[in-house]
Amino acid sequence: MNGTAFRWKAAVRKTGAVAQITLRQQLAYKADFVFRSLFLLLILFVFVQLWSTAYDGEGSEVVGGFTLKQIVWYLVFTEALTMAGPPLCARIEEEVKNGDIAVRLTRPFSYLAYHYASYLSEALFRFVIHLGVGSAIAWPFVGAPSFGFGWLGLAVLSIGALTVDFLLKAVVALCAFWVEEVRGLDFVLQKLQFTVGGMLLPIDLMPEWLQRVCAWLPFQAVLYFPARTAVNSEGANLAAQLGVQLAWTALLGVLVTEVYRRGVKKLHVNGG
Amino acid sequence: MIALHTRALSKTFKVKRKQAGLAGSFRALMRPEWETKEAVKRIDLTVEAGETVAFLGPNGAGKSTTIKMLTGIMHPTAGEAKVLGFVPWKERNALAYRIGTVFGQKSQLWYHLPPVDTFDLISRIYELTRGDYLTRKRDLVDRFEIGPYMNTPVRKLSLGERMRCEIAASMLHRPRLLFLDEPTIGLDAVVKQRIRELIRERNRTEGTTVFLTSHDAGDVEQLCSRAVVIHHGGILLDEPVEKLKREVLNRKTIWLTLPEGADPLELRGAEGAEVTEKNGRRYRVSVDLKRTGIEQVLRLLIGRIRIEDVSVEDPPLEEIIQHLYRMRKPEEVTT
């Protein structure tokens, strides 16, 4: 038992060390941050204009249960989360192609845990920055994000959201162990996130049959749950959403582990 | 004690064959043709603890594939291997604590951060206690003379400075066996020499077993006590380097650049030296070390003719291997 506890403690320390160094490396990418932030400002500005026109045309303050303020902040949260996730598929694909994976695999630390630690650290850091940038647009146009407990929901659900997001991307990324080229699959995954994941439009505003389909897919757990809960914490069942995230984490976790276990046997580490 | 042992270790790949041109690409898409490539063929090898072994061969001979199987990152198609008592591909994690790896063309240092950050990370990954890590780091920083670079972002370091940091980092956890895949590639002569000395010192003081692949005959000559040459995936030769030096590493090349109007005929007649190539004013003189020494030949030539530039090189390893290959009958090569 002591041995197991010791191993877990060591694994947590290693995860923390990878998260810390990833964060330090992030601080070196200043130009990347500026460009991303400018792009985020631009798209949020376009969304604010679009939704303002839609609400004006509708002549109603509430559409599908969302006020204009809620919908704009919903988009800030989904965009901030989407753009926070590092390009895991491209990274693993590159590691396999140029053989850098050799350096990772010869370390006494799980390859998946390494990438998870690095992913979460980078994504959380970017998420906070993007929230700041998004606020610069949303706040002046639709007012302060006075969502009370919604912020707590956002904080709690974002960890689960990024975990499910990591696992979804990892399933696709690990296909690089067989095919080396996974950008196409990554593209499909991204677009599913944009649509049935509720990035551009809250799932509540979709046709009922599509809402039923979305309820059985993992994508809602990534963007819809945290953003929806943030803007309307009273109407959300936090425990149920956490339960769904946990279930998807367990299911996808098993899948990712199995794909990795099989893939690493097949892997051809390139390069001399 | 045995550090590593392999029996009939083999690796085969399936490689897609493609015809040239667009039509060929379409054909490969519809009806792919596969070809089996034997990268490593039934390698039997035993390395004792504390040995320094050079694992040599031309590009595509199977050196890196063998190292990847021995470090557990690639699974063999057939055969067995034990490294420090572990089956590498089955017990990769346990083995990882006991071995060190340096892939000369891949970096383990974080590009935008100073090396000290990667050292810190490695100390956590290998579960070193803080006190042990700091003592060990101090020792390695002193010996490798990398103190001035430890706080400079890796991207600002020269290749030589970076490689010293890479090798020091790979020794932080006191590996019992060090796999070095082309550790001196792309480095200048002075840095190569220093790196060889440092590796040799670790072998001497800590008994670290060294398993090295290289294209550089100098690495073999100065660092290793035993050479294993593989060609087309099989072992061609396994002998002490001293013997190899006597038999094969017995030639050096002098490159001379003569000034305009110099008479190249003056280069003739030096005992054990002959001009083997001419390129404009540049001449290649091959020296047979069994018959004469480099110093003697240079002294003689400098006395006879004005020289603009001079450099001395080991023969390329490819040439040596070709020579070995010609010396042995095909049936002697392990297949």
Side-chain angles (χ1 to χ4, degrees):
Chain A
M1 192 61 198
N2 268 348
T4 316
F6 178 77
R7 298 256 43 95
W8 272 101
K9 219 169 142 185
V12 169
R13 273 206 211 106
K14 292 178 192 188
T15 307
V18 172
Q20 198 186 8
I21 199 168
T22 307
L23 199 58
R24 299 193 68 172
Q25 172 111 327
Q26 275 307 297
L27 298 172
Y29 296 124
K30 295 179 199 83
D32 181 60
F33 269 109
V34 172
F35 287 127
R36 273 173 183 267
S37 302
L38 286 176
F39 183 66
L40 184 61
L41 279 176
L42 178 74
I43 44 175
L44 283 174
F45 178 75
V46 172
F47 281 143
V48 168
Q49 300 305 315
L50 275 174
W51 281 102
S52 299
T53 313
Y55 273 78
D56 282 348
E58 195 69 24
S60 160
E61 280 200 4
V62 179
V63 175
F66 287 84
T67 62
L68 177 63
K69 179 178 165 176
Q70 282 175 319
I71 202 91
V72 168
W73 279 102
Y74 175 92
L75 289 168
V76 169
F77 298 140
T78 57
E79 285 294 341
L81 265 175
T82 303
M83 287 177 68
L88 184 70
C89 296
R91 280 188 195 167
I92 291 187
E93 184 187 296
E94 203 51 38
E95 273 181 12
V96 173
K97 273 185 183 167
N98 63 24
D100 280 355
I101 194 167
V103 176
R104 306 235 184 286
L105 291 178
T106 47
R107 295 266 185 255
F109 186 40
S110 149
Y111 180 73
L112 292 173
Y114 167 86
H115 272 293
Y116 177 62
S118 163
Y119 189 91
L120 203 60
S121 163
E122 192 174 331
L124 284 173
F125 177 63
R126 287 179 176 211
F127 181 47
V128 172
I129 303 277
H130 293 158
L131 277 183
V133 174
S135 302
I137 280 280
W139 203 316
F141 279 96
V142 294
S146 48
F147 299 125
F149 279 110
W151 284 101
L152 182 69
L154 179 73
V156 174
L157 288 166
S158 291
I159 305 284
L162 289 170
T163 304
V164 175
D165 187 39
F166 167 80
L167 292 168
L168 282 168
K169 284 181 183 157
V171 174
V172 171
L174 291 174
C175 293
F177 285 17
W178 284 272
V179 292
E180 286 203 1
E181 194 70 51
V182 293
R183 306 278 168 112
L185 281 170
D186 185 29
F187 181 81
V188 172
L189 184 67
Q190 257 184 39
K191 300 309 163 228
L192 283 169
Q193 204 74 271
F194 287 6
T195 51
V196 289
M199 189 192 89
L200 297 170
L201 191 73
I203 293 175
D204 315 62
L205 303 184
M206 292 178 186
E208 210 160 299
W209 65 268
L210 192 53
Q211 287 187 37
R212 278 201 296 275
V213 173
C214 291
W216 288 97
L217 298 174
F219 307 108
Q220 55 165 353
V222 179
L223 300 173
Y224 174 71
F225 281 3
R228 174 79 171 84
T229 304
V231 298
N232 184 7
S233 58
E234 285 144 32
N237 185 343
L238 189 62
Q241 290 182 341
L242 278 172
V244 172
Q245 281 188 338
L246 209 64
W248 278 115
T249 302
L251 197 73
L252 290 167
V254 170
L255 182 65
V256 167
T257 312
E258 188 55 25
V259 171
Y260 172 75
R261 208 179 57 78
R262 284 167 188 255
V264 82
K265 285 185 193 164
K266 287 264 170 203
L267 182 65
H268 178 184
V269 181
N270 292 329
Chain B
M1 208 182 107
I2 290 173
L4 75 84
H5 173 73
T6 72
R7 203 165 65 192
L9 191 68
S10 309
K11 180 76 185 174
T12 359
F13 297 117
K14 271 188 160 181
V15 186
K16 216 180 206 178
R17 271 173 60 101
K18 261 189 197 171
Q19 305 289 333
L22 191 62
S25 293
F26 275 115
R27 251 197 308 278
L29 202 64
M30 304 308 290
R31 221 177 304 145
E33 282 175 41
W34 297 89
E35 158 178 68
T36 306
K37 191 183 161 207
E38 284 187 283
V40 175
K41 283 186 240 173
R42 303 182 59 80
I43 284 193
D44 295 321
L45 188 66
T46 302
V47 175
E48 295 289 334
E51 265 195 291
T52 43
V53 177
F55 197 57
L56 310 167
N59 279 333
K63 306 184 297 284
S64 289
T65 306
T66 308
I67 280 209
K68 283 167 192 162
M69 287 192 283
L70 294 176
T71 50
I73 59 178
M74 251 158 72
H75 289 235
T77 317
E80 295 165 17
K82 281 240 167 153
V83 178
L84 301 172
F86 298 97
V87 177
W89 48 94
K90 286 185 181 158
E91 298 160 289
R92 176 156 47 85
N93 206 53
L95 177 65
Y97 285 99
R98 294 156 178 89
I99 59 167
T101 47
V102 175
F103 297 99
Q105 299 183 62
K106 303 182 198 327
S107 180
Q108 59 181 320
L109 301 170
W110 287 60
Y111 187 66
H112 289 293
L113 301 177
V116 68
D117 282 340
T118 307
F119 276 58
D120 281 350
L121 175 72
I122 290 175
S123 77
R124 305 266 182 212
I125 297 279
Y126 286 91
E127 300 168 33
L128 305 182
T129 62
R130 195 74 191 151
D132 181 30
Y133 161 56
L134 292 175
T135 315
R136 180 72 174 161
K137 184 174 75 175
R138 219 173 12 246
D139 174 44
L140 288 169
V141 166
D142 279 353
R143 293 306 307 144
F144 281 68
E145 295 164 347
I146 50 175
Y149 323 128
M150 286 299 276
N151 292 302
T152 309
V154 172
R155 65 174 189 276
K156 305 262 185 203
L157 299 179
S158 71
L159 182 62
E161 292 162 354
R162 205 200 78 201
M163 274 317 287
R164 267 148 73 187
C165 294
E166 295 272 1
I167 297 176
S170 71
M171 289 177 170
L172 208 52
H173 61 290
R174 297 186 183 82
R176 285 163 54 196
L177 172 56
L178 194 57
F179 289 100
L180 300 159
D181 197 0
E182 307 274 5
T184 57
I185 198 162
L187 300 175
D188 65 48
V190 179
V191 179
K192 268 184 192 174
Q193 191 57 32
R194 185 76 191 115
I195 283 182
R196 286 169 193 154
E197 281 166 18
L198 289 166
I199 298 170
R200 212 168 36 215
E201 183 190 283
R202 290 292 123 180
N203 167 259
R204 224 178 23 241
T205 57
E206 294 181 346
T208 316
T209 310
V210 175
F211 192 84
L212 164 142
T213 76
S214 181
H215 266 87
D216 192 324
D219 284 347
V220 184
E221 219 179 323
Q222 294 169 38
L223 188 54
C224 299
S225 56
R226 176 178 162 199
V228 178
V229 180
I230 64 164
H231 196 58
H232 296 313
I235 291 182
L236 175 65
L237 171 141
D238 183 351
E239 273 171 11
V241 169
E242 278 306 317
K243 191 169 174 222
L244 201 67
K245 267 191 205 170
R246 282 197 304 275
E247 287 181 3
V248 194
L249 294 171
N250 50 20
R251 296 192 87 83
K252 282 207 189 270
T253 299
I254 302 178
W255 282 100
L256 294 170
T257 308
L258 303 185
E260 207 73 62
D263 182 6
L265 289 176
E266 295 288 346
L267 295 175
R268 287 188 184 169
E271 166 80 15
E274 56 174 333
V275 178
T276 52
E277 198 182 316
K278 177 182 181 296
N279 188 1
R281 289 188 290 127
R282 240 166 96 77
Y283 292 84
R284 177 183 168 161
V285 181
S286 181
V287 180
D288 184 349
L289 299 175
K290 281 187 288 188
R291 291 168 59 198
T292 185
I294 287 285
E295 203 187 327
Q296 277 167 286
V297 175
L298 279 174
R299 202 181 300 135
L300 184 80
L301 293 177
I302 290 166
R304 274 192 197 170
I305 192 167
R306 216 153 60 77
I307 292 166
E308 210 170 84
D309 193 18
V310 62
S311 65
V312 181
E313 282 177 8
D314 289 305
L317 206 57
E318 272 77 4
E319 241 174 57
I320 298 171
I321 289 162
Q322 284 304 324
H323 180 72
L324 282 169
Y325 203 62
R326 278 196 300 271
M327 274 167 59
R328 276 162 174 73
K329 291 176 195 158
E331 59 268 24
E332 282 181 59
V333 181
T334 317
T335 51

